PDB file of all heavy atoms in Angstrom:
ATOM      1  N   ALA A 369      -7.682  15.030 157.474  1.00 48.00           N
ATOM      2  CA  ALA A 369      -8.967  15.407 156.787  1.00 48.00           C
ATOM      3  C   ALA A 369      -9.000  16.996 156.628  1.00 48.00           C
ATOM      4  O   ALA A 369      -9.466  17.384 155.574  1.00 48.00           O
ATOM      5  CB  ALA A 369     -10.174  14.906 157.579  1.00 48.00           C
ATOM      6  N   VAL A 370      -8.525  17.712 157.640  1.00 46.00           N
ATOM      7  CA  VAL A 370      -8.516  19.110 157.555  1.00 46.00           C
ATOM      8  C   VAL A 370      -7.525  19.608 156.460  1.00 46.00           C
ATOM      9  O   VAL A 370      -7.847  20.410 155.640  1.00 46.00           O
ATOM     10  CB  VAL A 370      -8.109  19.733 158.868  1.00 46.00           C
ATOM     11  CG1 VAL A 370      -7.908  21.257 158.789  1.00 46.00           C
ATOM     12  CG2 VAL A 370      -9.217  19.471 159.885  1.00 46.00           C
ATOM     13  N   GLN A 371      -6.450  18.930 156.402  1.00 46.00           N
ATOM     14  CA  GLN A 371      -5.432  19.300 155.355  1.00 46.00           C
ATOM     15  C   GLN A 371      -5.905  18.967 153.982  1.00 46.00           C
ATOM     16  O   GLN A 371      -5.732  19.683 153.032  1.00 46.00           O
ATOM     17  CB  GLN A 371      -4.088  18.541 155.547  1.00 46.00           C
ATOM     18  CG  GLN A 371      -3.280  19.180 156.758  1.00 46.00           C
ATOM     19  CD  GLN A 371      -1.955  18.406 156.949  1.00 46.00           C
ATOM     20  OE1 GLN A 371      -1.736  17.487 156.309  1.00 46.00           O
ATOM     21  NE2 GLN A 371      -1.132  18.960 157.835  1.00 46.00           N
ATOM     22  N   ARG A 372      -6.544  17.827 153.831  1.00 45.00           N
ATOM     23  CA  ARG A 372      -7.125  17.469 152.554  1.00 45.00           C
ATOM     24  C   ARG A 372      -8.103  18.430 152.053  1.00 45.00           C
ATOM     25  O   ARG A 372      -8.393  18.699 150.886  1.00 45.00           O
ATOM     26  CB  ARG A 372      -7.629  16.065 152.552  1.00 45.00           C
ATOM     27  CG  ARG A 372      -6.581  14.955 152.519  1.00 45.00           C
ATOM     28  CD  ARG A 372      -7.154  13.626 152.253  1.00 45.00           C
ATOM     29  NE  ARG A 372      -6.162  12.650 152.591  1.00 45.00           N
ATOM     30  CZ  ARG A 372      -6.213  11.873 153.637  1.00 45.00           C
ATOM     31  NH1 ARG A 372      -7.209  11.996 154.564  1.00 45.00           N
ATOM     32  NH2 ARG A 372      -5.183  10.959 153.918  1.00 45.00           N
ATOM     33  N   ALA A 373      -8.924  18.948 153.052  1.00 43.00           N
ATOM     34  CA  ALA A 373     -10.032  19.904 152.753  1.00 43.00           C
ATOM     35  C   ALA A 373      -9.432  21.163 152.180  1.00 43.00           C
ATOM     36  O   ALA A 373     -10.020  21.882 151.419  1.00 43.00           O
ATOM     37  CB  ALA A 373     -10.922  20.130 153.930  1.00 43.00           C
ATOM     38  N   THR A 374      -8.236  21.592 152.659  1.00 42.00           N
ATOM     39  CA  THR A 374      -7.653  22.853 152.280  1.00 42.00           C
ATOM     40  C   THR A 374      -6.884  22.671 150.896  1.00 42.00           C
ATOM     41  O   THR A 374      -6.535  23.704 150.393  1.00 42.00           O
ATOM     42  CB  THR A 374      -6.625  23.332 153.353  1.00 42.00           C
ATOM     43  OG1 THR A 374      -5.629  22.301 153.493  1.00 42.00           O
ATOM     44  CG2 THR A 374      -7.369  23.544 154.673  1.00 42.00           C
ATOM     45  N   ILE A 375      -6.646  21.489 150.454  1.00 44.00           N
ATOM     46  CA  ILE A 375      -6.020  21.228 149.234  1.00 44.00           C
ATOM     47  C   ILE A 375      -7.018  21.174 148.055  1.00 44.00           C
ATOM     48  O   ILE A 375      -7.393  20.126 147.591  1.00 44.00           O
ATOM     49  CB  ILE A 375      -5.111  20.032 149.164  1.00 44.00           C
ATOM     50  CG1 ILE A 375      -4.156  19.980 150.386  1.00 44.00           C
ATOM     51  CG2 ILE A 375      -4.374  19.925 147.905  1.00 44.00           C
ATOM     52  CD1 ILE A 375      -3.439  18.650 150.454  1.00 44.00           C
ATOM     53  N   SER A 376      -7.447  22.287 147.641  1.00 41.00           N
ATOM     54  CA  SER A 376      -8.445  22.247 146.535  1.00 41.00           C
ATOM     55  C   SER A 376      -7.779  23.033 145.448  1.00 41.00           C
ATOM     56  O   SER A 376      -7.489  24.231 145.562  1.00 41.00           O
ATOM     57  CB  SER A 376      -9.766  22.918 146.967  1.00 41.00           C
ATOM     58  OG  SER A 376      -9.541  24.133 147.384  1.00 41.00           O
ATOM     59  N   ALA A 377      -7.610  22.477 144.307  1.00 44.00           N
ATOM     60  CA  ALA A 377      -6.963  23.077 143.157  1.00 44.00           C
ATOM     61  C   ALA A 377      -8.015  23.974 142.500  1.00 44.00           C
ATOM     62  O   ALA A 377      -9.155  23.484 142.112  1.00 44.00           O
ATOM     63  CB  ALA A 377      -6.503  21.968 142.157  1.00 44.00           C
TER      64      ALA A 377
END
Side-chain angles (χ1 to χ4, degrees):
V370 170
Q371 285 182 353
R372 283 193 197 105
T374 59
I375 305 174
S376 58

